[in-house]
Amino acid sequence: MHKLQDVQNSPSDLAVDIDRVGIKEFRLPLVVRDRDAGLQHTVATVDLGVDLPAAFKGTHMSRFVEALEAWREQAPESPVPALDYRSMRGLLESVRLRLDARRAYVKFRFPYFRAKAAPATGSAAPVAYDCTMTGELTEGEHPVFTLEADVPVTTVCPCSKAISRAGAHGQRALVKLTLRMTKFEWLEEFIDIAESSGSAQVYSLLKRQDEKLVTEQAYDDACFVEDVVRRVAEKMNAHPHVSWFRVEVESFESIHCHNAFAVIERDRKPHRA
Amino acid sequence: MHKLQDVQNSPSDLAVDIDRVGIKEFRLPLVVRDRDAGLQHTVATVDLGVDLPAAFKGTHMSRFVEALEAWREQAPESPVPALDYRSMRGLLESVRLRLDARRAYVKFRFPYFRAKAAPATGSAAPVAYDCTMTGELTEGEHPVFTLEADVPVTTVCPCSKAISRAGAHGQRALVKLTLRMTKFEWLEEFIDIAESSGSAQVYSLLKRQDEKLVTEQAYDDACFVEDVVRRVAEKMNAHPHVSWFRVEVESFESIHCHNAFAVIERDRKPHRA
Amino acid sequence: MHKLQDVQNSPSDLAVDIDRVGIKEFRLPLVVRDRDAGLQHTVATVDLGVDLPAAFKGTHMSRFVEALEAWREQAPESPVPALDYRSMRGLLESVRLRLDARRAYVKFRFPYFRAKAAPATGSAAPVAYDCTMTGELTEGEHPVFTLEADVPVTTVCPCSKAISRAGAHGQRALVKLTLRMTKFEWLEEFIDIAESSGSAQVYSLLKRQDEKLVTEQAYDDACFVEDVVRRVAEKMNAHPHVSWFRVEVESFESIHCHNAFAVIERDRKPHRA
Amino acid sequence: MHKLQDVQNSPSDLAVDIDRVGIKEFRLPLVVRDRDAGLQHTVATVDLGVDLPAAFKGTHMSRFVEALEAWREQAPESPVPALDYRSMRGLLESVRLRLDARRAYVKFRFPYFRAKAAPATGSAAPVAYDCTMTGELTEGEHPVFTLEADVPVTTVCPCSKAISRAGAHGQRALVKLTLRMTKFEWLEEFIDIAESSGSAQVYSLLKRQDEKLVTEQAYDDACFVEDVVRRVAEKMNAHPHVSWFRVEVESFESIHCHNAFAVIERDRKPHRA
């Protein structure tokens, strides 16, 4: 076959280092390790990137897709890649080598499902959590992994409850938890932390007995976004393997058309009052 | 200047009539007629289209933008066009003639703001309503206008209230109202219909006295999406100038991570049970 | 257990029939029938609804989720439901009966993946198509199914090519195909129709030889959104089992920040010029 | 009036400092200073926040809205606030004082419009740029302002051009520029920098002569996302008043359904190869 010009390998017009270059919004089926079921099928949106030194005009974009495809085929137990820390490390190393780079970056965003039982009847149905797993690898260094999970909860307003004759406004809220750890923990553990920190949990299937229980539980434990963010932060601060975290709680206020939010970010050493 | 080939005017490869062809997602500043303030500045996303007979290869896309720009300049009282039925009719006619078409179509989507006073203290702040105004004009016929408004309300669940010791789950809900009328009415009138049909209204600014009032009002008037959609439908059915409507209520359930919805669509003759 | 009040079954305050009431944005893992691989794992967002006569205050929202969960368990070959026409019909009937309704409605939205080989090197990688499968069932009637697929293509502008010394502006475009059929056809067949109707197809993995081929193919077959929509319509009109279709082509114009679009909708009898 | 309990002022259950607490997604009409027209009407989505010490249970959310409303009324020349650095500093100070906080935070996101003339015919029409202006103020310190602008351009692929007999794939791309400065510069200056760094600029209105010019210009100046990001970075590095910037270029590849991206971030001292 006629040899085609490799424009990317030609010298750069402007000698400026590029921090990260690659592809975004690549969608593919994905299998994720799952504490309860072993493996879980989902779909992911993937970003892949590397650094590019000042000397080179361009990176080779097709190699990112080739790295992903080769990684899929290495997973013999399923037709699609099983995402966990070990396999992600392999993908990062493969991207770095194929692209001849010093640093590699991979981000997977995917809905993660758990069968969740209603609190009174035990009726179960899946709940979806939007999760993100990001890895960065610099040559000769340990990879850095960041985990994110968006966990819905319900909140009841303590002010509304205190001042009103009856009732209190409540709403769906989202706990957005981002973290780094020093030792592996299942995603489920952090979802549990977030879910147990609102006025009540959110479910996919509730029968009347369940609805009664959740309503009363939420009313009895009215809490602001400030309370929820502190509860999550307290548990993350106490966790033996969390080295860094950021938690944001955003509530879709039912009496307003804007939202309320609260954020706490902490490095490994807890900054407590 | 050298004459450039007009490819669009060349014959079509396939002799198929096109129902509608044009531009989408064009953004521009917009002035809208406002019942209270006279004029209101906002921004719009605009779609414009015409029909294209089988004989022609293509339409002339730049003429849609020219029609919009000429329409802006016809509005002497402000630097941007003032949208109302009369000016929209003018724009439709201009699009139809400039594109040499039988039918023209225009859709404006824009946030519409109203200063809204809190129910107890009277403290005021703007509330945004996502609105759409669509017009279609066929040569020799009357134009057809469709109005849409997304109106947030709050709902409290009657089932949760009835079965629980205290409290009841509530949430933000959206009344999505679409309608055609036989005689002009202000957008404000339909927003009022939607806002008065939930458990309580939604506000931008509420002090404690207001929050108490809204909480109690919502708890006292617990209603399902089914109740809200019927209340709106009842008022629309009774309206002297509404010839067609569709109302959908979607509530962002606070105890679930999915939503509840209900829809009623009626032609001018009310279909009542 | 203490019997809890069934508020939904109480009489309606306003005697207005509701066209459709149910749940929206319910997310779950899904297995879809796949022409090539047999079964494909993906995730779906589901809407479920029924009609509600004027006499009843509310529907029973939890039954929609129960119907979905029971449907999942009927699929013995996989831990999640395998979506096809037969199983969707079963779900519709189950929803109708569980909710004691005359009409049932189900909508599944999901990314559908196909391994797609590059045109010169044959290198393969998955392409995602956003698909929707909708079913409606009225008691005593045949169910009505509607299929939608959003298929990306590339277009090169014939006008830009004709008037310019060299080059021509090109862009990604989306063919949004919606259809009903009288006899089963695989989704793949309609994706193929859409993909073969632009200036060139869109791929996930292209090596240099492939990129050369696709670039030249697209430049040689420059076409407007009008051309693309007509090509798709022509093939849909000629299809023996398509009873109704709507095709919209939207191109993300590279020299503008707005889009161009064209729409053709036809009932089973072709309306040709 | 009966005095209502101030729950927010009660002691916190968990003594954890909150980094930021406030409101999000508040929408309002906005007037922005404009280099050419003096003032420009647009609409904004606003986030407002403060820090909250460990001792207090909650912040007072309604005061954020009151601060915004009071700020609007201080702007005598228009019915809505005119956003610039001076007025934003005033808002930050007002938020900080009203909420009794040490730090205040304000973020405005808004479309910003410029009338843009076609390069050959001079025909003009507005182009929308999604912009963000963020301010943070800590008691006793200078406020820190960050400016963001998303600027569409067109890119033509140099590899595709070099290897193909004719044509080259092109696409819309977005230059996402974020920056801090030591001395005021108009937003327009940074939009100009981004717009002049692609293969060609993007316009709202192009006649045939313009389309010819833009097509040829883009084909003659084919560039990768890597080239665009370096051109912008080079100009930002050379700018006398930019103390920090981050530029990301994302191109919506016309031959793929995923995107390409490149990022350069630099502190005030340029890090050049």
Side-chain angles (χ1 to χ4, degrees), chain B residues 23 59-67 99, chain C residues 256 258, chain D residues 204-208:
Chain B
I23 64 170
T59 195
H60 291 85
M61 297 285 184
S62 64
R63 294 185 193 168
F64 292 107
V65 180
E66 287 176 318
L99 275 295
Chain C
H256 295 303
H258 57 265
Chain D
S204 286
L205 176 52
L206 293 173
K207 301 304 292 178
R208 269 202 294 281

Side-chain angles (χ1 to χ4, degrees), chain D residues 83-93 104-108 132-137 141-148 178-184 241 243-244:
Chain D
L83 184 69
D84 58 17
Y85 285 99
R86 197 171 52 88
S87 72
M88 199 181 201
R89 187 183 185 136
L91 176 59
L92 282 164
E93 192 61 31
Y105 165 86
V106 174
K107 177 183 245 174
F108 285 91
T132 302
M133 198 169 151
T134 308
E136 293 186 82
L137 177 67
E141 298 182 11
H142 285 287
V144 177
F145 295 109
T146 309
L147 201 60
E148 296 179 57
T178 314
L179 65 102
R180 293 198 184 117
M181 40 183 148
T182 52
K183 191 169 165 299
F184 175 78
H241 305 142
S243 57
W244 171 89

Side-chain angles (χ1 to χ4, degrees), chain C residues 154 160 163-165 169-170 172 202-204 208 211-212 215-216 220 252-259, chain D residues 154 160 163-165 169-170 172 202-204 208 211-212 215-216 220 252-256 258-259:
Chain C
T154 187
S160 170
I163 63 181
S164 302
R165 173 179 33 82
H169 74 83
R172 203 189 292 164
V202 158
Y203 299 85
S204 285
R208 269 203 294 280
E211 186 170 359
K212 174 180 166 59
T215 303
E216 295 175 356
D220 292 346
F252 309 101
E253 298 289 287
S254 63
I255 58 170
H256 295 303
C257 39
H258 57 265
N259 303 337
Chain D
T154 187
S160 170
I163 63 181
S164 303
R165 173 178 34 81
H169 74 82
R172 203 189 291 165
V202 158
Y203 299 85
S204 286
R208 269 202 294 281
E211 186 170 358
K212 174 180 165 61
T215 303
E216 294 175 356
D220 291 347
F252 309 101
E253 298 288 288
S254 62
I255 59 170
H256 295 302
H258 57 264
N259 303 337

Side-chain angles (χ1 to χ4, degrees), chain A residues 154 160 163-165 169-170 172 202-204 208 211-212 215-216 220 252-259, chain B residues 154 160 163-165 169-170 172 202-204 208 211-212 215-216 220 253-259:
Chain A
T154 187
S160 169
I163 63 181
S164 303
R165 173 181 32 82
H169 74 83
R172 202 189 292 165
V202 158
Y203 299 84
S204 286
R208 269 202 295 279
E211 186 170 358
K212 174 180 166 60
T215 302
E216 294 174 356
D220 291 346
F252 309 101
E253 298 289 287
S254 63
I255 58 170
H256 296 302
C257 40
H258 57 265
N259 303 336
Chain B
T154 188
S160 169
I163 63 182
S164 303
R165 173 179 33 81
H169 73 82
R172 202 190 291 164
V202 157
Y203 300 85
S204 286
R208 268 201 296 279
E211 186 171 357
K212 174 179 166 59
T215 302
E216 295 174 356
D220 291 346
E253 298 290 287
S254 63
I255 59 170
H256 295 302
C257 39
H258 57 264
N259 303 336

Side-chain angles (χ1 to χ4, degrees), chain B residues 222-236:
Chain B
C223 57
F224 291 127
V225 288
E226 291 93 325
D227 295 309
V228 183
V229 81
R230 279 170 166 150
R231 290 175 184 181
V232 177
E234 181 86 348
K235 292 167 195 167
M236 296 301 282

